[in-house]
């Protein structure tokens, strides 16, 4: 069984030696975004991947429009944490097959809302 959580936001990417870093990096106890000290705003919404009829979920289900509004309303440079558990969120209730539909919805809405 796979369990854990996912963060939706910008992640660090490698930069060639001597190049300005892109994404999120760390320097001591500071976070840097593109090399500039940054404070990120974090949100926890454990039930974002709940998709009734597809998975068991973990709490209430966001409609597509509610999830879009959630992501559209976040401040710039936000991170979102949500639960990703194969047993409850990655298995189709009807077929018992692995089904990441509920989790894929979260990433699609996050991407659609930058």
């Amino acid at each position: 069984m796979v369990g854990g959580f996912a963060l939706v936001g910008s992640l660090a990417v490698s930069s060639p030696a001597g190049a300005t870093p892109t994404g999120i990096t760390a320097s001591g106890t500071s976070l840097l975004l593109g090399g500039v000290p940054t404070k990120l705003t974090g949100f926890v919404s454990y039930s974002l991947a709940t998709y009734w009829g597809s998975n068991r979920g973990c709490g209430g289900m966001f409609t597509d429009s509610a999830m879009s509004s959630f992501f559209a309303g976040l401040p710039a440079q936000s991170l979102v944490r949500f639960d990703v558990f194969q047993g409850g969120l990655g298995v189709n209730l009807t077929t018992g097959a692995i089904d990441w539909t509920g989790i894929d919805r979260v990433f699609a809405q996050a991407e659609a809302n930058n």
Side-chain angles (χ1 to χ4, degrees):
M1 178 181 291
V2 175
F5 63 90
L7 292 174
V8 178
S10 300
L11 299 176
V13 295
S14 298
S15 300
T20 302
T22 60
I24 299 172
T25 57
S27 176
T29 60
S30 297
L31 288 176
L32 309 174
L33 180 60
V36 177
T38 303
K39 289 190 180 195
L40 301 172
T41 303
F43 296 90
V44 177
S45 185
Y46 66 90
S47 65
L48 272 176
T50 295
Y51 195 44
W52 295 333
S54 177
N55 64 34
R56 277 189 286 161
C58 186
M61 184 183 111
F62 281 70
T63 62
D64 289 341
S65 62
M67 193 181 308
S68 180
S69 294
F70 170 78
F71 281 112
L74 293 174
Q77 301 174 4
S78 294
L79 294 176
V80 174
R81 185 183 110 185
F82 66 101
D83 287 346
V84 178
F85 294 99
Q86 181 177 328
L89 298 168
V91 175
N92 186 287
L93 285 173
T94 305
T95 66
I98 299 297
D99 183 349
W100 302 111
T101 304
I103 297 163
D104 290 342
R105 286 178 68 228
V106 177
F107 287 110
Q109 287 290 344
E111 182 178 31
N113 288 284
N114 295 317

